Coordinates of all heavy atoms in Angstrom, one line a residue:
M1 N 0.8 -1.2 0.0 CA 0.0 0.0 0.0 C 0.9 1.2 0.0 O 2.0 1.2 0.5 CB -0.9 0.0 1.2 CG -1.9 -1.2 1.3 SD -3.1 -1.2 0.1 CE -4.4 -0.3 1.0
A2 N 0.4 2.3 -0.6 CA 1.1 3.5 -0.6 C 0.1 4.7 -0.4 O -1.1 4.5 -0.7 CB 1.8 3.7 -1.9
T3 N 0.5 5.8 0.1 CA -0.3 6.9 0.3 C -0.1 7.9 -0.9 O 1.0 8.2 -1.2 CB 0.1 7.6 1.6 OG1 -0.1 6.7 2.7 CG2 -0.8 8.8 1.9
Y4 N -1.2 8.3 -1.5 CA -1.2 9.2 -2.6 C -1.9 10.5 -2.2 O -2.9 10.5 -1.4 CB -1.9 8.6 -3.8 CG -1.2 7.4 -4.3 CD1 -1.6 6.1 -3.9 CD2 -0.1 7.4 -5.2 CE1 -0.9 5.0 -4.3 CE2 0.5 6.3 -5.6 CZ 0.1 5.1 -5.2 OH 0.7 3.9 -5.6
V5 N -1.4 11.6 -2.7 CA -2.0 12.9 -2.4 C -2.8 13.4 -3.6 O -2.3 13.3 -4.7 CB -0.8 13.9 -2.1 CG1 -1.4 15.3 -1.7 CG2 0.0 13.4 -0.9
Y6 N -4.0 13.9 -3.3 CA -4.8 14.5 -4.3 C -5.2 15.9 -3.8 O -5.1 16.2 -2.7 CB -6.1 13.7 -4.5 CG -5.9 12.4 -5.1 CD1 -5.5 11.3 -4.4 CD2 -5.9 12.2 -6.5 CE1 -5.3 10.0 -4.9 CE2 -5.7 11.0 -7.1 CZ -5.3 9.9 -6.3 OH -5.1 8.7 -6.9
R7 N -5.5 16.8 -4.8 CA -5.8 18.2 -4.4 C -7.2 18.5 -4.9 O -7.5 18.5 -6.1 CB -4.8 19.1 -5.1 CG -5.0 20.6 -4.7 CD -3.8 21.4 -5.0 NE -2.7 20.9 -4.2 CZ -1.4 21.0 -4.5 NH1 -1.0 21.5 -5.6 NH2 -0.5 20.6 -3.7
C8 N -8.1 18.9 -4.0 CA -9.4 19.3 -4.3 C -9.3 20.9 -4.5 O -8.7 21.5 -3.7 CB -10.3 19.0 -3.1 SG -12.0 19.7 -3.3
A9 N -10.0 21.4 -5.5 CA -10.0 22.8 -5.8 C -10.6 23.6 -4.6 O -10.2 24.7 -4.3 CB -10.7 23.1 -7.1
D10 N -11.5 23.0 -3.9 CA -12.2 23.7 -2.8 C -11.6 23.5 -1.4 O -11.4 24.3 -0.6 CB -13.7 23.4 -2.7 CG -14.4 23.8 -4.0 OD1 -14.0 24.8 -4.6 OD2 -15.4 23.1 -4.4
C11 N -11.2 22.2 -1.2 CA -10.8 21.8 0.2 C -9.3 21.6 0.4 O -8.9 21.5 1.5 CB -11.5 20.4 0.5 SG -13.2 20.4 0.2
G12 N -8.6 21.6 -0.7 CA -7.1 21.5 -0.6 C -6.7 20.0 -0.7 O -7.4 19.2 -1.3
D13 N -5.5 19.7 -0.2 CA -5.0 18.4 -0.4 C -5.6 17.3 0.6 O -6.0 17.7 1.7 CB -3.5 18.4 0.0 CG -2.7 19.2 -1.1 OD1 -3.3 19.7 -2.1 OD2 -1.5 19.4 -0.9
F14 N -5.8 16.2 0.0 CA -6.2 15.0 0.9 C -5.4 13.8 0.4 O -4.9 13.7 -0.7 CB -7.7 14.8 0.8 CG -8.2 14.5 -0.6 CD1 -8.4 13.2 -1.1 CD2 -8.6 15.5 -1.5 CE1 -8.9 13.0 -2.4 CE2 -9.1 15.3 -2.7 CZ -9.2 14.0 -3.2
E15 N -5.3 12.8 1.3 CA -4.5 11.6 1.1 C -5.4 10.4 1.0 O -6.4 10.3 1.8 CB -3.5 11.4 2.2 CG -2.5 12.6 2.3 CD -1.5 12.3 3.4 OE1 -1.7 11.4 4.3 OE2 -0.4 13.1 3.4
L16 N -5.0 9.5 0.1 CA -5.7 8.2 0.0 C -4.7 7.1 0.0 O -3.6 7.3 -0.6 CB -6.6 8.2 -1.3 CG -7.7 9.2 -1.3 CD1 -8.4 9.1 -2.7 CD2 -8.8 8.8 -0.3
T17 N -5.0 6.0 0.6 CA -4.1 4.8 0.6 C -4.7 3.9 -0.5 O -5.8 3.5 -0.4 CB -4.1 4.2 2.0 OG1 -3.7 5.2 2.9 CG2 -3.1 3.0 2.0
R18 N -3.8 3.5 -1.4 CA -4.2 2.6 -2.5 C -3.0 1.6 -2.7 O -1.9 1.9 -2.3 CB -4.3 3.4 -3.8 CG -5.5 4.3 -3.8 CD -6.8 3.6 -4.0 NE -7.9 4.5 -4.1 CZ -8.7 4.9 -3.1 NH1 -8.4 4.4 -1.9 NH2 -9.7 5.7 -3.2
P19 N -3.3 0.4 -3.2 CA -2.3 -0.5 -3.6 C -1.4 0.2 -4.6 O -1.8 1.0 -5.4 CB -3.0 -1.7 -4.2 CG -4.4 -1.6 -3.6 CD -4.7 -0.2 -3.4
L20 N -0.1 -0.3 -4.6 CA 0.8 0.3 -5.6 C 0.3 0.2 -7.0 O -0.1 -0.9 -7.4 CB 2.2 -0.4 -5.4 CG 3.1 0.1 -4.3 CD1 4.3 -0.8 -4.2 CD2 3.4 1.5 -4.4
G21 N 0.4 1.2 -7.7 CA 0.1 1.2 -9.2 C -1.4 1.3 -9.4 O -1.9 1.3 -10.6
E22 N -2.2 1.4 -8.4 CA -3.7 1.5 -8.6 C -4.2 2.9 -8.2 O -5.4 3.0 -7.9 CB -4.4 0.4 -7.8 CG -4.1 -0.9 -8.3 CD -4.9 -2.0 -7.6 OE1 -6.0 -1.7 -7.1 OE2 -4.5 -3.2 -7.7
A23 N -3.4 3.9 -8.2 CA -3.8 5.3 -7.9 C -4.2 5.9 -9.3 O -3.4 6.0 -10.2 CB -2.7 6.1 -7.3
G24 N -5.5 6.4 -9.4 CA -5.9 7.0 -10.6 C -5.5 8.4 -10.7 O -5.0 9.0 -9.7
P25 N -5.7 9.0 -11.9 CA -5.3 10.4 -12.0 C -6.2 11.4 -11.2 O -5.8 12.5 -11.0 CB -5.4 10.7 -13.5 CG -6.4 9.6 -14.0 CD -6.2 8.4 -13.1
S26 N -7.4 10.9 -10.9 CA -8.3 11.8 -10.0 C -9.1 10.9 -9.2 O -9.5 9.7 -9.5 CB -9.1 12.7 -10.9 OG -10.2 12.0 -11.4
E27 N -9.4 11.4 -8.0 CA -10.3 10.7 -7.0 C -11.2 11.7 -6.4 O -11.0 12.9 -6.4 CB -9.4 10.1 -5.9 CG -8.5 8.9 -6.3 CD -9.2 7.6 -6.4 OE1 -10.4 7.5 -6.0 OE2 -8.6 6.7 -7.0
R28 N -12.4 11.2 -5.9 CA -13.3 12.1 -5.3 C -12.8 12.5 -3.9 O -12.3 11.8 -3.1 CB -14.7 11.4 -5.1 CG -15.3 11.1 -6.5 CD -16.8 11.1 -6.4 NE -17.4 11.0 -7.7 CZ -17.6 12.0 -8.5 NH1 -17.3 13.2 -8.2 NH2 -18.2 11.8 -9.7
C29 N -13.0 13.8 -3.7 CA -12.6 14.4 -2.4 C -13.5 13.8 -1.3 O -14.8 13.8 -1.5 CB -12.8 15.9 -2.4 SG -12.6 16.8 -0.8
P30 N -13.0 13.3 -0.2 CA -13.8 12.8 0.9 C -14.7 13.8 1.5 O -15.7 13.4 2.2 CB -12.8 12.2 1.9 CG -11.5 12.9 1.6 CD -11.5 13.3 0.1
A31 N -14.4 15.1 1.4 CA -15.2 16.1 2.1 C -16.4 16.6 1.2 O -17.5 16.7 1.7 CB -14.3 17.3 2.5
C32 N -16.1 16.9 0.0 CA -17.2 17.5 -0.9 C -17.5 16.6 -2.1 O -18.4 17.0 -2.9 CB -16.7 18.9 -1.3 SG -15.4 18.9 -2.5
A33 N -16.8 15.5 -2.3 CA -17.1 14.6 -3.4 C -16.8 15.1 -4.8 O -17.1 14.5 -5.8 CB -18.5 14.0 -3.3
E34 N -16.1 16.3 -4.8 CA -15.7 16.8 -6.1 C -14.4 16.1 -6.5 O -13.7 15.6 -5.7 CB -15.4 18.3 -6.0 CG -16.6 19.2 -5.9 CD -17.5 19.1 -7.1 OE1 -17.0 19.3 -8.2 OE2 -18.8 19.0 -6.9
P35 N -14.2 15.9 -7.8 CA -13.0 15.2 -8.2 C -11.7 16.0 -7.9 O -11.7 17.3 -8.1 CB -13.1 15.1 -9.7 CG -14.1 16.0 -10.1 CD -15.0 16.3 -9.0
G36 N -10.7 15.4 -7.3 CA -9.5 16.0 -7.0 C -8.4 15.4 -7.9 O -8.3 14.2 -8.1
R37 N -7.5 16.3 -8.4 CA -6.4 15.8 -9.2 C -5.2 15.3 -8.4 O -4.9 15.8 -7.3 CB -5.9 16.9 -10.1 CG -6.7 17.1 -11.4 CD -6.1 18.0 -12.4 NE -4.7 18.3 -12.3 CZ -4.2 19.5 -12.1 NH1 -5.0 20.5 -12.1 NH2 -2.9 19.7 -12.0
R38 N -4.6 14.3 -8.9 CA -3.5 13.7 -8.2 C -2.3 14.7 -8.2 O -2.0 15.3 -9.2 CB -3.0 12.4 -8.8 CG -1.9 11.7 -8.1 CD -1.6 10.3 -8.6 NE -0.4 9.8 -7.9 CZ 0.2 8.7 -8.3 NH1 -0.3 8.0 -9.3 NH2 1.3 8.3 -7.7
V39 N -1.6 14.7 -7.0 CA -0.4 15.5 -6.8 C 0.7 14.5 -6.8 O 0.7 13.6 -6.0 CB -0.5 16.4 -5.5 CG1 0.8 17.1 -5.4 CG2 -1.7 17.3 -5.5
W40 N 1.7 14.7 -7.7 CA 2.8 13.7 -7.7 C 3.8 14.0 -6.7 O 4.4 15.1 -6.6 CB 3.4 13.8 -9.1 CG 2.5 13.3 -10.1 CD1 1.6 14.0 -10.9 CD2 2.3 11.9 -10.5 NE1 0.8 13.1 -11.7 CE2 1.2 11.8 -11.4 CE3 2.9 10.7 -10.1 CZ2 0.8 10.6 -12.0 CZ3 2.4 9.5 -10.7 CH2 1.4 9.5 -11.6
T41 N 4.0 13.0 -5.8 CA 4.9 13.1 -4.7 C 5.7 11.8 -4.7 O 5.3 10.8 -5.3 CB 4.3 13.3 -3.3 OG1 3.4 12.2 -3.1 CG2 3.4 14.6 -3.3
A42 N 6.8 11.7 -3.9 CA 7.5 10.5 -3.7 C 6.5 9.6 -2.9 O 5.9 10.0 -1.9 CB 8.7 10.7 -2.9
P43 N 6.4 8.3 -3.3 CA 5.5 7.4 -2.5 C 6.0 7.2 -1.1 O 7.2 7.0 -0.9 CB 5.6 6.1 -3.3 CG 6.8 6.2 -4.2 CD 7.0 7.7 -4.4
R44 N 5.1 7.2 -0.2 CA 5.5 7.0 1.2 C 5.3 5.6 1.6 O 4.3 5.2 2.0 CB 4.7 8.0 2.1 CG 5.3 9.4 2.2 CD 4.4 10.3 2.9 NE 3.6 11.0 1.9 CZ 2.6 11.8 2.2 NH1 2.2 12.0 3.4 NH2 2.0 12.5 1.2
L45 N 6.3 4.8 1.4 CA 6.2 3.4 1.5 C 6.5 3.0 3.0 O 6.2 1.8 3.4 CB 7.2 2.6 0.6 CG 7.0 3.0 -0.9 CD1 8.1 2.3 -1.7 CD2 5.6 2.5 -1.3
A46 N 7.2 3.8 3.7 CA 7.7 3.4 5.1 C 6.6 3.6 6.1 O 6.8 3.2 7.3 CB 8.9 4.3 5.5
D47 N 5.4 4.0 5.8 CA 4.4 4.2 6.8 C 3.5 3.0 7.0 O 2.4 3.1 7.5 CB 3.4 5.4 6.3 CG 4.1 6.7 6.5 OD1 5.2 6.8 7.1 OD2 3.6 7.7 5.9
N48 N 4.0 1.8 6.7 CA 3.2 0.6 6.9 C 3.5 -0.2 8.1 O 3.2 -1.3 8.3 CB 3.4 -0.3 5.7 CG 4.8 -0.7 5.5 OD1 5.7 -0.3 6.3 ND2 5.1 -1.4 4.4
G49 N 4.2 0.5 9.1 CA 4.5 -0.1 10.4 C 5.9 -0.8 10.4 O 6.4 -1.2 11.4
V50 N 6.5 -1.0 9.3 CA 7.8 -1.7 9.2 C 8.9 -0.6 9.3 O 8.9 0.3 8.5 CB 8.0 -2.5 7.9 CG1 9.4 -3.1 7.9 CG2 6.9 -3.5 7.8
R51 N 9.6 -0.6 10.4 CA 10.6 0.4 10.6 C 12.0 -0.2 10.6 O 12.2 -1.3 11.1 CB 10.4 1.2 11.9 CG 9.0 1.5 12.1 CD 8.7 2.9 12.5 NE 9.9 3.8 12.5 CZ 9.9 5.0 11.9 NH1 8.9 5.4 11.3 NH2 11.0 5.7 12.1
T52 N 12.9 0.5 10.0 CA 14.3 0.0 10.1 C 14.9 0.4 11.4 O 14.4 1.3 12.1 CB 15.2 0.7 9.0 OG1 15.2 2.1 9.2 CG2 14.6 0.4 7.6
R53 N 16.0 -0.3 11.8 CA 16.6 0.0 13.1 C 17.2 1.4 13.1 O 17.1 2.1 14.1 CB 17.7 -1.1 13.3 CG 17.3 -2.2 14.2 CD 18.4 -3.1 14.6 NE 19.8 -2.6 14.3 CZ 20.8 -3.4 14.3 NH1 20.7 -4.7 14.4 NH2 22.0 -2.9 14.1
A54 N 17.7 1.8 12.0 CA 18.3 3.1 11.9 C 17.2 4.2 12.1 O 17.4 5.2 12.8 CB 19.0 3.3 10.6
A55 N 16.0 4.0 11.5 CA 15.0 4.9 11.6 C 14.4 5.0 13.0 O 14.1 6.1 13.6 CB 13.8 4.6 10.6
A56 N 14.4 3.8 13.7 CA 13.9 3.8 15.1 C 14.9 4.5 16.0 O 14.5 5.3 16.9 CB 13.7 2.4 15.5
A57 N 16.2 4.3 15.7 CA 17.2 5.0 16.6 C 17.2 6.5 16.3 O 17.4 7.2 17.3 CB 18.6 4.4 16.2
E58 N 17.0 6.9 15.1 CA 17.0 8.3 14.8 C 15.8 8.9 15.5 O 15.9 10.0 16.1 CB 16.9 8.5 13.3 CG 17.0 9.9 12.8 CD 15.6 10.5 12.6 OE1 14.7 9.8 12.3 OE2 15.5 11.8 12.7
E59 N 14.6 8.2 15.5 CA 13.5 8.8 16.2 C 13.7 8.9 17.7 O 13.3 9.8 18.4 CB 12.2 7.9 15.9 CG 11.0 8.5 16.4 CD 9.7 7.8 15.9 OE1 9.7 7.4 14.7 OE2 8.8 7.5 16.7
R60 N 14.3 7.8 18.3 CA 14.6 7.8 19.7 C 15.5 9.0 20.1 O 15.2 9.7 21.1 CB 15.3 6.5 20.1 CG 14.3 5.4 20.7 CD 15.1 4.4 21.4 NE 16.3 3.9 20.8 CZ 16.4 3.0 19.8 NH1 15.3 2.4 19.4 NH2 17.5 2.7 19.3
S61 N 16.5 9.2 19.3 CA 17.5 10.3 19.6 C 16.8 11.7 19.5 O 17.2 12.6 20.2 CB 18.7 10.2 18.7 OG 18.4 10.6 17.4
A62 N 15.8 11.8 18.7 CA 15.1 13.1 18.6 C 14.3 13.3 19.9 O 14.1 14.5 20.3 CB 14.2 13.1 17.4
H63 N 13.7 12.3 20.4 CA 12.8 12.5 21.6 C 13.6 12.4 22.9 O 13.3 13.1 23.9 CB 11.7 11.4 21.7 CG 10.8 11.5 20.6 ND1 9.9 12.6 20.5 CD2 10.5 10.8 19.5 CE1 9.2 12.5 19.4 NE2 9.5 11.4 18.8
A64 N 14.7 11.6 23.0 CA 15.5 11.4 24.2 C 16.9 11.4 23.9 O 17.5 10.3 23.9 CB 15.0 10.2 25.0
P65 N 17.5 12.5 23.5 CA 18.9 12.5 23.1 C 19.8 12.1 24.2 O 19.5 12.4 25.4 CB 19.2 13.9 22.6 CG 18.1 14.7 23.2 CD 16.9 13.8 23.4
T66 N 20.9 11.5 23.9 CA 21.9 11.2 25.0 C 22.5 12.5 25.5 O 23.0 13.3 24.7 CB 23.0 10.3 24.4 OG1 22.3 9.1 23.8 CG2 24.0 9.9 25.4
V67 N 22.4 12.7 26.8 CA 22.9 14.0 27.3 C 24.2 13.7 28.0 O 24.3 12.7 28.8 CB 21.9 14.6 28.3 CG1 22.4 15.8 28.9 CG2 20.6 14.9 27.6
T68 N 25.2 14.5 27.8 CA 26.5 14.3 28.5 C 26.6 15.3 29.6 O 25.9 16.3 29.6 CB 27.7 14.6 27.6 OG1 27.6 15.9 27.0 CG2 27.7 13.6 26.4
S69 N 27.3 14.9 30.7 CA 27.4 15.8 31.9 C 28.7 16.7 31.8 O 28.9 17.5 32.7 CB 27.4 15.0 33.1 OG 28.5 14.1 33.1
G70 N 29.5 16.5 30.8 CA 30.7 17.3 30.7 C 31.5 16.9 29.5 O 31.1 16.0 28.7
P71 N 32.7 17.5 29.3 CA 33.5 17.2 28.1 C 34.1 15.8 28.3 O 34.2 15.3 29.4 CB 34.6 18.3 28.1 CG 34.6 18.7 29.5 CD 33.3 18.6 30.1
P72 N 34.4 15.1 27.2 CA 35.1 13.8 27.4 C 36.4 13.9 28.1 O 37.0 15.0 28.0 CB 35.2 13.4 25.9 CG 35.2 14.6 25.1 CD 34.3 15.6 25.9
P73 N 36.9 12.9 28.8 CA 38.2 13.0 29.5 C 39.3 13.2 28.5 O 39.3 12.7 27.4 CB 38.3 11.6 30.2 CG 37.4 10.7 29.5 CD 36.3 11.6 28.9
R74 N 40.3 14.0 29.0 CA 41.5 14.2 28.1 C 42.2 12.9 27.9 O 42.3 12.1 28.8 CB 42.4 15.3 28.8 CG 41.9 16.7 28.5 CD 42.9 17.7 29.0 NE 42.5 18.0 30.4 CZ 43.3 18.4 31.3 NH1 44.6 18.6 31.0 NH2 42.9 18.7 32.5
P75 N 42.8 12.8 26.8 CA 43.6 11.5 26.5 C 44.7 11.4 27.5 O 45.4 12.4 27.9 CB 44.1 11.7 25.1 CG 43.5 12.9 24.5 CD 42.8 13.7 25.6
G76 N 45.0 10.3 28.0 CA 46.1 10.0 29.0 C 45.7 10.2 30.4 O 46.4 9.8 31.3
T77 N 44.5 10.7 30.7 CA 44.0 10.8 32.1 C 43.1 9.6 32.3 O 42.3 9.2 31.4 CB 43.3 12.1 32.4 OG1 42.2 12.2 31.5 CG2 44.2 13.3 32.2
R78 N 43.1 9.1 33.5 CA 42.3 8.0 33.9 C 41.0 8.5 34.5 O 41.0 9.5 35.2 CB 43.0 7.0 34.8 CG 44.2 6.4 34.2 CD 44.7 5.3 35.1 NE 43.7 4.4 35.5 CZ 43.9 3.5 36.5 NH1 45.0 3.3 37.1 NH2 42.9 2.6 36.8
A79 N 39.9 7.8 34.2 CA 38.7 8.2 34.8 C 38.7 7.9 36.3 O 39.4 7.0 36.7 CB 37.5 7.4 34.2
P80 N 38.1 8.8 37.2 CA 38.2 8.5 38.6 C 37.5 7.1 38.9 O 36.5 6.8 38.4 CB 37.4 9.6 39.2 CG 36.6 10.2 38.1 CD 37.3 9.9 36.8
G81 N 38.2 6.4 39.7 CA 37.7 5.1 40.1 C 36.8 5.1 41.3 O 36.4 6.2 41.7
D82 N 36.5 4.0 41.8 CA 35.6 3.9 43.0 C 36.4 4.4 44.2 O 37.5 3.9 44.4 CB 35.2 2.4 43.1 CG 34.1 2.3 44.2 OD1 34.2 2.9 45.2 OD2 33.2 1.5 43.9
P83 N 35.9 5.3 45.0 CA 36.7 5.8 46.1 C 37.0 4.7 47.2 O 38.0 4.9 47.9 CB 35.8 6.9 46.7 CG 34.5 6.7 46.1 CD 34.7 6.0 44.8
R84 N 36.3 3.7 47.2 CA 36.5 2.6 48.1 C 37.8 1.9 47.8 O 38.4 1.2 48.7 CB 35.4 1.6 48.1 CG 34.1 2.2 48.7 CD 32.9 1.3 48.6 NE 32.6 1.1 47.2 CZ 31.7 0.4 46.7 NH1 30.9 -0.3 47.5 NH2 31.5 0.3 45.4
H85 N 38.3 2.0 46.6 CA 39.6 1.4 46.2 C 40.7 1.9 47.0 O 41.7 1.2 47.2 CB 39.8 1.5 44.7 CG 38.8 0.8 43.8 ND1 38.9 0.8 42.5 CD2 37.8 -0.1 44.2 CE1 37.9 0.1 42.0 NE2 37.2 -0.5 43.0
A86 N 40.7 3.2 47.5 CA 41.8 3.8 48.2 C 41.9 3.1 49.6 O 43.0 3.1 50.2 CB 41.5 5.2 48.4
R87 N 40.9 2.4 50.1 CA 41.0 1.8 51.4 C 41.4 0.3 51.3 O 41.6 -0.4 52.3 CB 39.6 1.8 52.1 CG 39.3 3.3 52.5 CD 38.0 3.3 53.3 NE 36.9 2.6 52.5 CZ 35.6 3.0 52.5 NH1 35.2 3.9 53.4 NH2 34.8 2.4 51.7
L88 N 41.6 -0.2 50.1 CA 42.1 -1.5 49.9 C 43.5 -1.7 50.4 O 44.3 -0.7 50.2 CB 41.9 -2.0 48.5 CG 40.5 -2.1 48.0 CD1 40.5 -2.4 46.5 CD2 39.8 -3.3 48.7
P89 N 43.9 -2.8 50.9 CA 45.3 -3.0 51.3 C 46.3 -3.0 50.1 O 45.9 -3.4 49.0 CB 45.3 -4.4 52.0 CG 44.1 -5.0 51.5 CD 43.1 -4.0 51.2
R90 N 47.4 -2.3 50.3 CA 48.4 -2.2 49.3 C 49.4 -3.4 49.5 O 49.7 -3.7 50.6 CB 49.2 -0.9 49.4 CG 48.3 0.3 49.2 CD 47.9 0.6 47.8 NE 46.8 1.6 47.8 CZ 45.9 1.7 46.8 NH1 46.0 0.9 45.8 NH2 45.1 2.7 46.8
S91 N 50.0 -3.9 48.4 CA 50.9 -4.9 48.6 C 52.4 -4.4 48.4 O 52.6 -3.3 48.1 CB 50.7 -6.0 47.5 OG 50.8 -5.4 46.2
Ligands
ZN1 ZN1 -13.3 18.9 -1.6

């Protein structure tokens, strides 16, 4: 299935879902039943519930981006360890 866009002279654009290749040059407007001419757009094939991992990750990062608390550590410096390690016996 694909979503096709039609334009009604009175109501503006409306969308219809049709099987691929079965979209006619004009369809009746759902609001006023006047014929609307097809508007040529790229077919929206990804709206059928099947999402790629990359698209899902991209959407997640838009809603909940990874937030950092500071700049990355400078090269050569060690990240602070657990403070309890200082109390461990030394050999
Ligand atoms: Zn209309």
